[in-house]
Amino acid sequence: MAASLSDTFFISHGSPMLSVDDAIPARHFLKSFGRTSLTDKPCSILMVSAHWETAQPAVNAIAGPSDTIYDFYNFPKPLYQLKYPAPGATELANKVKKLLEAGGFEHVVEDKNRGLDHGAWVPLMLMYPDADIPVCQLSVQTNMDATHHFNLGRALAPLKKEGVLIVGSGSATHNLRTLIDPSDSVASWATEFDNWLRESLLAGRYEDVNQYLEKAPFAKQAHPRPEHLYPLHVALGAAGVNAKAELIHDSWTSYTLSYASYKFSEST
């Protein structure tokens, strides 16, 4: 059954090659997102991207088309020619700031210059290629823990009632030093972490997910740094009380890169 705007999502965006390489299975999943995963068109989108790290929560409040940020290196030239000029979402940015402040996050930065990094525009150009939906980005804080990000999401849950699509964009596993391309197999440690994450989410063991560093097998190997997992915690928190998780895509590339993606629905 297709989701509604009362649901939140975590998307594993993996490699920037997702934007051009049809051999990556997750590319086809994202291209069908608006037909199969979420048939309701959002009025605006809040993207929580692994590629924007700040000491305090920050939102970008852009008036006019968003700049496309090419925050990756040594990739084929066509990637640097792609554009995703989605309208900025200043009204949404203001709401995010107010909700976070009301939720106890005292210092929320409003950035009026920053465009969309590839953690936002790469999946969005596949999900919504017309670039006609206003987009606001929220940063992650790698100096804080997973529970901090879960609580960020919890504070933002009211946005769903206003037609806002909340998406965390990261990767279920993310250790760039272990990638092997091409590869037809998956490292056992990466599989173990990915399986643990899936089983914990589907069983509703969200406190374990918040404590993944202590609870999960190979946590530091799967995520030497936490920035690609924290968007999941925000999306999970934003789903609301008694959220139910569903795996909506599962594929691998490059030996250790999981594209597992999830939908979170608030139970009634």
Side-chain angles (χ1 to χ4, degrees), residues 217-246:
F218 303 104
K220 288 295 286 185
Q221 200 162 354
H223 290 278
R225 299 182 68 251
E227 81 287 350
H228 274 76
L229 197 58
Y230 283 168
L232 180 146
H233 295 97
V234 180
L236 178 57
V241 180
N242 300 319
K244 180 182 172 73
E246 179 185 339

Side-chain angles (χ1 to χ4, degrees), residues 101-181:
E101 289 172 343
F105 298 91
E106 296 180 2
H107 304 289
V108 181
V109 177
E110 212 171 3
D111 189 322
K112 298 186 178 180
N113 297 305
R114 194 179 195 278
L116 301 177
D117 60 53
H118 84 271
W121 67 260
V122 166
L124 283 176
M125 71 177 295
L126 301 173
M127 296 161 68
Y128 297 106
D130 293 337
D132 59 348
I133 302 173
V135 179
C136 170
Q137 265 198 239
L138 174 67
S139 66
V140 296
Q141 291 76 65
T142 49
N143 56 318
M144 303 298 286
D145 63 9
T147 299
H148 163 89
H149 290 83
F150 181 86
N151 290 334
L152 278 177
R154 186 56 58 86
L156 297 171
L159 292 173
K160 298 179 300 175
K161 296 179 181 178
E162 301 182 24
V164 177
L165 172 61
I166 301 174
V167 179
S169 177
S171 285
T173 59
H174 192 264
N175 187 335
L176 299 183
R177 295 188 177 186
T178 62
L179 302 183
I180 301 173
D181 202 9

